[in-house]
């Protein structure tokens, strides 16, 4: 029986969280079947291809379709930042676990679709492709689906870090206070009379400036939580505005 071809694979430090502990330090030996692509081998080791920037074999960059030969040395590099996404405008789709991140992206005026119920990986992947939206998720299985248009792993579980990571990776145009955080629709200026049915007595007496979603009709004003939201906006603008 012929021995399985062995290659040596080394992952960039940014990608080691995906691979088993024993493969996180330097190059490790990996047995291949001689027919599977390098992309398949990398994914079988735990790394979604959405997170791979380039594959370098014995000093030359190769495609994910490359079939590795015995003895080859592979370096798996992370996605370069800012990541260039084909086409325009840059839009996102988030799964059910990223509701806070979705609201914060919308707060910054970034076109962000979000499913508040679990509609299943196949439907999410199909929507990503149909609407040309970058799929953001912490679900590695979802990110491996071939029908995705573009995907990206969300590395943190903390909304503050998630937002900074996405803004750093994709550098979307920021237009704060222009989108509904509930439905992603665009906002317009509104009079107090137009939104009166959504206001309680104290709000009617205290506030005079309002906005309303063109899609769902939700009213917005600078209420009790405005300072907290303003701080999120200011941090994002200070670090990322105008730096695509």
């Amino acid at each position: 029986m012929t021995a399985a071809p062995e290659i040596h694979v080394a992952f960039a430090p940014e990608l080691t969280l995906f691979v088993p502990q024993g493969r996180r330090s330097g190059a490790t030996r990996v047995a291949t079947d001689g027919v599977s692509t390098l992309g398949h081998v990398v994914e079988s080791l735990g790394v979604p291809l959405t997170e791979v920037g380039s594959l370098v074999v014995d000093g030359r960059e190769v495609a994910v379709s490359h079939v590795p030969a015995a003895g080859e040395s592979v370096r798996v590099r992370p996605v370069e930042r800012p990541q260039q996404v084909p086409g325009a405008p840059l839009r996102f789709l988030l799964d059910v676990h990223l509701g806070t991140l979705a609201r914060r992206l919308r707060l910054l005026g970034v076109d962000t679709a979000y499913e508040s119920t679990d509609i299943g990986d196949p439907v999410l992947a199909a929507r990503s492709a149909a609407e040309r939206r970058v799929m953001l998720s912490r679900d590695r299985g979802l990110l491996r689906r071939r029908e995705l248009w573009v995907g990206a792993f969300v590395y943190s579980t903390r909304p503050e870090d998630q937002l900074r990571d996405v803004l750093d990776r994709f550098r979307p145009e920021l237009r704060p206070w222009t989108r509904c955080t509930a439905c992603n629709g665009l906002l317009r200026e509104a009079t107090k009379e137009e939104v009166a049915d959504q206001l309680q007595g104290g709000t009617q007496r205290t506030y005079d400036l309002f906005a309303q979603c063109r899609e769902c009709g939700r009213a917005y004003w600078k209420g009790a939580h405005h300072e907290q939201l303003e701080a999120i906006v200011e941090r994002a603008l200070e670090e990322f505005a105008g730096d695509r």
Side-chain angles (χ1 to χ4, degrees):
M1 179 180 290
T2 304
E6 280 192 346
I7 61 176
H8 294 82
V9 181
F11 292 95
E14 296 91 333
L15 302 176
T16 54
L17 69 96
F18 296 107
V19 300
Q21 187 71 37
R23 299 189 185 278
R24 295 183 179 181
S25 179
T28 61
R29 292 187 298 178
V30 178
T32 69
D33 58 14
V35 295
S36 294
T37 66
L38 186 53
H40 177 80
V41 173
V42 169
E43 284 198 320
S44 72
L45 295 173
V47 182
L49 292 181
T50 59
E51 306 313 296
V52 175
S54 62
L55 298 168
V56 179
V57 175
D58 294 336
R60 63 187 177 91
E61 190 170 324
V62 302
V64 293
S65 58
H66 172 77
V67 178
E72 288 184 339
S73 293
V74 180
R75 297 192 63 83
V76 185
R77 294 174 175 170
V79 171
E80 291 187 6
R81 297 186 177 213
Q83 182 176 347
Q84 300 302 309
V85 177
L90 183 60
R91 304 189 294 181
F92 296 97
L93 172 62
L94 280 61
D95 69 17
V96 66
H97 304 292
L98 298 176
T100 300
L101 176 59
R103 289 188 291 274
R104 293 189 179 191
L105 285 170
R106 291 170 176 175
L107 174 67
L108 295 172
V110 179
D111 189 342
T112 305
Y114 163 69
E115 295 292 344
S116 60
T117 57
D118 189 354
I119 61 176
D121 290 0
V123 178
L124 284 170
R127 183 175 181 186
S128 166
E131 300 181 10
R132 290 197 156 194
R133 290 182 180 273
V134 179
M135 184 77 242
L136 300 181
S137 179
R138 287 180 51 79
D139 182 345
R140 302 182 200 181
L142 171 57
L143 295 177
R144 289 174 184 161
R145 298 193 71 91
R146 294 292 178 258
E147 61 269 41
L148 278 179
W149 182 59
V150 178
F153 184 77
V154 176
Y155 285 79
S156 177
T157 58
R158 300 179 68 247
E160 305 81 33
D161 296 333
Q162 291 175 344
L163 179 63
R164 189 179 186 282
D165 182 41
V166 172
L167 297 182
D168 177 68
R169 178 165 174 171
F170 293 101
R171 301 299 172 102
E173 180 184 2
L174 305 183
R175 300 179 62 215
W177 317 109
T178 61
R179 286 190 179 273
C180 176
T181 56
C183 81
N184 196 45
L186 293 173
L187 302 182
R188 65 171 183 86
E189 292 184 3
T191 65
K192 183 181 294 188
E193 290 71 25
E194 288 176 306
V195 298
D197 60 333
Q198 299 183 52
L199 307 179
Q200 297 179 348
T203 302
Q204 280 194 326
R205 291 190 299 271
T206 308
Y207 300 99
D208 294 305
L209 298 177
F210 299 90
Q212 187 173 33
C213 176
R214 297 176 184 272
E215 299 296 326
C216 72
R218 179 170 175 170
Y220 288 87
W221 60 91
K222 295 182 179 180
H225 300 293
H226 184 75
E227 287 188 7
Q228 178 185 352
L229 299 178
E230 186 72 50
I232 294 172
V233 169
E234 288 181 357
R235 283 195 299 268
L237 290 178
E238 182 178 355
E239 191 164 3
F240 298 106
D243 192 23
R244 269 188 62 78

PDB file of all heavy atoms in Angstrom, residues 55-77:
ATOM      1  N   LEU A  55      -2.512  31.392  -0.156  1.00  0.00           N
ATOM      2  CA  LEU A  55      -1.856  30.122   0.123  1.00  0.00           C
ATOM      3  C   LEU A  55      -0.530  30.120  -0.618  1.00  0.00           C
ATOM      4  O   LEU A  55      -0.499  30.312  -1.838  1.00  0.00           O
ATOM      5  CB  LEU A  55      -2.730  28.958  -0.341  1.00  0.00           C
ATOM      6  CG  LEU A  55      -4.103  28.825   0.333  1.00  0.00           C
ATOM      7  CD1 LEU A  55      -4.978  27.825  -0.415  1.00  0.00           C
ATOM      8  CD2 LEU A  55      -3.929  28.394   1.788  1.00  0.00           C
ATOM      9  N   VAL A  56       0.549  29.927   0.113  1.00  0.00           N
ATOM     10  CA  VAL A  56       1.877  29.976  -0.485  1.00  0.00           C
ATOM     11  C   VAL A  56       2.525  28.602  -0.362  1.00  0.00           C
ATOM     12  O   VAL A  56       2.706  28.078   0.746  1.00  0.00           O
ATOM     13  CB  VAL A  56       2.754  31.046   0.194  1.00  0.00           C
ATOM     14  CG1 VAL A  56       4.159  31.076  -0.429  1.00  0.00           C
ATOM     15  CG2 VAL A  56       2.092  32.416   0.090  1.00  0.00           C
ATOM     16  N   VAL A  57       2.855  27.996  -1.499  1.00  0.00           N
ATOM     17  CA  VAL A  57       3.455  26.665  -1.544  1.00  0.00           C
ATOM     18  C   VAL A  57       4.890  26.774  -2.043  1.00  0.00           C
ATOM     19  O   VAL A  57       5.120  27.232  -3.183  1.00  0.00           O
ATOM     20  CB  VAL A  57       2.646  25.717  -2.456  1.00  0.00           C
ATOM     21  CG1 VAL A  57       3.348  24.372  -2.596  1.00  0.00           C
ATOM     22  CG2 VAL A  57       1.245  25.523  -1.896  1.00  0.00           C
ATOM     23  N   ASP A  58       5.825  26.416  -1.188  1.00  0.00           N
ATOM     24  CA  ASP A  58       7.248  26.474  -1.547  1.00  0.00           C
ATOM     25  C   ASP A  58       7.615  27.827  -2.157  1.00  0.00           C
ATOM     26  O   ASP A  58       8.324  27.915  -3.174  1.00  0.00           O
ATOM     27  CB  ASP A  58       7.600  25.345  -2.519  1.00  0.00           C
ATOM     28  CG  ASP A  58       7.479  23.970  -1.869  1.00  0.00           C
ATOM     29  OD1 ASP A  58       7.586  23.889  -0.631  1.00  0.00           O
ATOM     30  OD2 ASP A  58       7.267  22.992  -2.598  1.00  0.00           O
ATOM     31  N   GLY A  59       7.084  28.885  -1.554  1.00  0.00           N
ATOM     32  CA  GLY A  59       7.457  30.229  -1.964  1.00  0.00           C
ATOM     33  C   GLY A  59       6.620  30.841  -3.064  1.00  0.00           C
ATOM     34  O   GLY A  59       6.816  32.015  -3.411  1.00  0.00           O
ATOM     35  N   ARG A  60       5.670  30.123  -3.640  1.00  0.00           N
ATOM     36  CA  ARG A  60       4.837  30.694  -4.699  1.00  0.00           C
ATOM     37  C   ARG A  60       3.369  30.612  -4.299  1.00  0.00           C
ATOM     38  O   ARG A  60       2.926  29.636  -3.699  1.00  0.00           O
ATOM     39  CB  ARG A  60       5.065  29.966  -6.024  1.00  0.00           C
ATOM     40  CG  ARG A  60       4.682  28.510  -6.011  1.00  0.00           C
ATOM     41  CD  ARG A  60       5.089  27.800  -7.297  1.00  0.00           C
ATOM     42  NE  ARG A  60       4.761  26.370  -7.227  1.00  0.00           N
ATOM     43  CZ  ARG A  60       3.611  25.850  -7.634  1.00  0.00           C
ATOM     44  NH1 ARG A  60       2.679  26.637  -8.153  1.00  0.00           N
ATOM     45  NH2 ARG A  60       3.381  24.560  -7.534  1.00  0.00           N
ATOM     46  N   GLU A  61       2.635  31.656  -4.640  1.00  0.00           N
ATOM     47  CA  GLU A  61       1.215  31.706  -4.300  1.00  0.00           C
ATOM     48  C   GLU A  61       0.428  30.807  -5.245  1.00  0.00           C
ATOM     49  O   GLU A  61       0.656  30.818  -6.454  1.00  0.00           O
ATOM     50  CB  GLU A  61       0.706  33.133  -4.386  1.00  0.00           C
ATOM     51  CG  GLU A  61      -0.693  33.327  -3.815  1.00  0.00           C
ATOM     52  CD  GLU A  61      -1.080  34.788  -3.679  1.00  0.00           C
ATOM     53  OE1 GLU A  61      -0.192  35.611  -3.353  1.00  0.00           O
ATOM     54  OE2 GLU A  61      -2.263  35.100  -3.907  1.00  0.00           O
ATOM     55  N   VAL A  62      -0.490  30.031  -4.670  1.00  0.00           N
ATOM     56  CA  VAL A  62      -1.297  29.115  -5.468  1.00  0.00           C
ATOM     57  C   VAL A  62      -2.773  29.347  -5.170  1.00  0.00           C
ATOM     58  O   VAL A  62      -3.137  29.961  -4.170  1.00  0.00           O
ATOM     59  CB  VAL A  62      -0.937  27.637  -5.189  1.00  0.00           C
ATOM     60  CG1 VAL A  62       0.534  27.366  -5.468  1.00  0.00           C
ATOM     61  CG2 VAL A  62      -1.299  27.251  -3.756  1.00  0.00           C
ATOM     62  N   ALA A  63      -3.627  28.815  -6.042  1.00  0.00           N
ATOM     63  CA  ALA A  63      -5.071  28.914  -5.846  1.00  0.00           C
ATOM     64  C   ALA A  63      -5.534  27.831  -4.880  1.00  0.00           C
ATOM     65  O   ALA A  63      -4.832  26.837  -4.636  1.00  0.00           O
ATOM     66  CB  ALA A  63      -5.793  28.764  -7.185  1.00  0.00           C
ATOM     67  N   VAL A  64      -6.746  28.010  -4.352  1.00  0.00           N
ATOM     68  CA  VAL A  64      -7.295  27.004  -3.440  1.00  0.00           C
ATOM     69  C   VAL A  64      -7.518  25.680  -4.161  1.00  0.00           C
ATOM     70  O   VAL A  64      -7.620  24.632  -3.524  1.00  0.00           O
ATOM     71  CB  VAL A  64      -8.611  27.490  -2.801  1.00  0.00           C
ATOM     72  CG1 VAL A  64      -8.369  28.669  -1.878  1.00  0.00           C
ATOM     73  CG2 VAL A  64      -9.645  27.839  -3.863  1.00  0.00           C
ATOM     74  N   SER A  65      -7.569  25.720  -5.490  1.00  0.00           N
ATOM     75  CA  SER A  65      -7.780  24.503  -6.279  1.00  0.00           C
ATOM     76  C   SER A  65      -6.503  23.691  -6.465  1.00  0.00           C
ATOM     77  O   SER A  65      -6.545  22.587  -7.023  1.00  0.00           O
ATOM     78  CB  SER A  65      -8.359  24.855  -7.652  1.00  0.00           C
ATOM     79  OG  SER A  65      -7.497  25.741  -8.346  1.00  0.00           O
ATOM     80  N   HIS A  66      -5.385  24.203  -6.001  1.00  0.00           N
ATOM     81  CA  HIS A  66      -4.110  23.483  -6.121  1.00  0.00           C
ATOM     82  C   HIS A  66      -4.188  22.155  -5.372  1.00  0.00           C
ATOM     83  O   HIS A  66      -4.665  22.086  -4.242  1.00  0.00           O
ATOM     84  CB  HIS A  66      -2.984  24.343  -5.532  1.00  0.00           C
ATOM     85  CG  HIS A  66      -1.670  23.637  -5.417  1.00  0.00           C
ATOM     86  ND1 HIS A  66      -0.838  23.414  -6.489  1.00  0.00           N
ATOM     87  CD2 HIS A  66      -1.045  23.076  -4.335  1.00  0.00           C
ATOM     88  CE1 HIS A  66       0.249  22.773  -6.090  1.00  0.00           C
ATOM     89  NE2 HIS A  66       0.144  22.560  -4.783  1.00  0.00           N
ATOM     90  N   VAL A  67      -3.717  21.082  -6.008  1.00  0.00           N
ATOM     91  CA  VAL A  67      -3.654  19.769  -5.365  1.00  0.00           C
ATOM     92  C   VAL A  67      -2.234  19.574  -4.858  1.00  0.00           C
ATOM     93  O   VAL A  67      -1.292  19.470  -5.654  1.00  0.00           O
ATOM     94  CB  VAL A  67      -4.040  18.645  -6.347  1.00  0.00           C
ATOM     95  CG1 VAL A  67      -3.913  17.283  -5.656  1.00  0.00           C
ATOM     96  CG2 VAL A  67      -5.461  18.849  -6.854  1.00  0.00           C
ATOM     97  N   PRO A  68      -2.047  19.533  -3.544  1.00  0.00           N
ATOM     98  CA  PRO A  68      -0.690  19.460  -2.996  1.00  0.00           C
ATOM     99  C   PRO A  68      -0.016  18.118  -3.284  1.00  0.00           C
ATOM    100  O   PRO A  68      -0.662  17.071  -3.290  1.00  0.00           O
ATOM    101  CB  PRO A  68      -0.902  19.666  -1.499  1.00  0.00           C
ATOM    102  CG  PRO A  68      -2.314  19.269  -1.242  1.00  0.00           C
ATOM    103  CD  PRO A  68      -3.073  19.608  -2.486  1.00  0.00           C
ATOM    104  N   ALA A  69       1.284  18.193  -3.522  1.00  0.00           N
ATOM    105  CA  ALA A  69       2.095  16.998  -3.748  1.00  0.00           C
ATOM    106  C   ALA A  69       2.927  16.714  -2.512  1.00  0.00           C
ATOM    107  O   ALA A  69       3.151  17.597  -1.670  1.00  0.00           O
ATOM    108  CB  ALA A  69       2.999  17.197  -4.962  1.00  0.00           C
ATOM    109  N   ALA A  70       3.391  15.491  -2.388  1.00  0.00           N
ATOM    110  CA  ALA A  70       4.168  15.079  -1.223  1.00  0.00           C
ATOM    111  C   ALA A  70       5.374  15.986  -1.032  1.00  0.00           C
ATOM    112  O   ALA A  70       6.067  16.334  -1.990  1.00  0.00           O
ATOM    113  CB  ALA A  70       4.609  13.630  -1.388  1.00  0.00           C
ATOM    114  N   GLY A  71       5.597  16.379   0.198  1.00  0.00           N
ATOM    115  CA  GLY A  71       6.772  17.159   0.541  1.00  0.00           C
ATOM    116  C   GLY A  71       6.611  18.661   0.435  1.00  0.00           C
ATOM    117  O   GLY A  71       7.521  19.406   0.823  1.00  0.00           O
ATOM    118  N   GLU A  72       5.487  19.140  -0.082  1.00  0.00           N
ATOM    119  CA  GLU A  72       5.318  20.577  -0.232  1.00  0.00           C
ATOM    120  C   GLU A  72       5.145  21.263   1.122  1.00  0.00           C
ATOM    121  O   GLU A  72       4.566  20.694   2.056  1.00  0.00           O
ATOM    122  CB  GLU A  72       4.110  20.892  -1.121  1.00  0.00           C
ATOM    123  CG  GLU A  72       4.343  20.567  -2.591  1.00  0.00           C
ATOM    124  CD  GLU A  72       3.188  20.975  -3.481  1.00  0.00           C
ATOM    125  OE1 GLU A  72       2.065  21.131  -2.960  1.00  0.00           O
ATOM    126  OE2 GLU A  72       3.418  21.124  -4.694  1.00  0.00           O
ATOM    127  N   SER A  73       5.646  22.487   1.189  1.00  0.00           N
ATOM    128  CA  SER A  73       5.489  23.300   2.394  1.00  0.00           C
ATOM    129  C   SER A  73       4.483  24.414   2.104  1.00  0.00           C
ATOM    130  O   SER A  73       4.651  25.162   1.130  1.00  0.00           O
ATOM    131  CB  SER A  73       6.826  23.913   2.813  1.00  0.00           C
ATOM    132  OG  SER A  73       7.727  22.901   3.233  1.00  0.00           O
ATOM    133  N   VAL A  74       3.473  24.501   2.940  1.00  0.00           N
ATOM    134  CA  VAL A  74       2.359  25.439   2.721  1.00  0.00           C
ATOM    135  C   VAL A  74       2.310  26.460   3.850  1.00  0.00           C
ATOM    136  O   VAL A  74       2.374  26.094   5.025  1.00  0.00           O
ATOM    137  CB  VAL A  74       1.020  24.687   2.653  1.00  0.00           C
ATOM    138  CG1 VAL A  74      -0.126  25.660   2.415  1.00  0.00           C
ATOM    139  CG2 VAL A  74       1.054  23.595   1.604  1.00  0.00           C
ATOM    140  N   ARG A  75       2.187  27.724   3.480  1.00  0.00           N
ATOM    141  CA  ARG A  75       1.941  28.783   4.456  1.00  0.00           C
ATOM    142  C   ARG A  75       0.547  29.356   4.192  1.00  0.00           C
ATOM    143  O   ARG A  75       0.237  29.739   3.060  1.00  0.00           O
ATOM    144  CB  ARG A  75       2.991  29.887   4.371  1.00  0.00           C
ATOM    145  CG  ARG A  75       4.400  29.412   4.697  1.00  0.00           C
ATOM    146  CD  ARG A  75       5.346  30.583   4.886  1.00  0.00           C
ATOM    147  NE  ARG A  75       4.955  31.414   6.011  1.00  0.00           N
ATOM    148  CZ  ARG A  75       5.280  31.152   7.287  1.00  0.00           C
ATOM    149  NH1 ARG A  75       5.978  30.066   7.581  1.00  0.00           N
ATOM    150  NH2 ARG A  75       4.886  31.954   8.253  1.00  0.00           N
ATOM    151  N   VAL A  76      -0.267  29.378   5.229  1.00  0.00           N
ATOM    152  CA  VAL A  76      -1.636  29.880   5.116  1.00  0.00           C
ATOM    153  C   VAL A  76      -1.676  31.268   5.738  1.00  0.00           C
ATOM    154  O   VAL A  76      -1.486  31.426   6.945  1.00  0.00           O
ATOM    155  CB  VAL A  76      -2.635  28.939   5.818  1.00  0.00           C
ATOM    156  CG1 VAL A  76      -4.059  29.425   5.583  1.00  0.00           C
ATOM    157  CG2 VAL A  76      -2.466  27.510   5.323  1.00  0.00           C
ATOM    158  N   ARG A  77      -1.930  32.271   4.898  1.00  0.00           N
ATOM    159  CA  ARG A  77      -1.911  33.656   5.352  1.00  0.00           C
ATOM    160  C   ARG A  77      -3.333  34.182   5.571  1.00  0.00           C
ATOM    161  O   ARG A  77      -4.268  33.731   4.921  1.00  0.00           O
ATOM    162  CB  ARG A  77      -1.202  34.536   4.319  1.00  0.00           C
ATOM    163  CG  ARG A  77       0.291  34.214   4.158  1.00  0.00           C
ATOM    164  CD  ARG A  77       0.902  35.011   3.036  1.00  0.00           C
ATOM    165  NE  ARG A  77       2.340  34.819   2.939  1.00  0.00           N
ATOM    166  CZ  ARG A  77       3.083  35.258   1.937  1.00  0.00           C
ATOM    167  NH1 ARG A  77       2.505  35.909   0.923  1.00  0.00           N
ATOM    168  NH2 ARG A  77       4.385  35.046   1.928  1.00  0.00           N
TER     169      ARG A  77
END
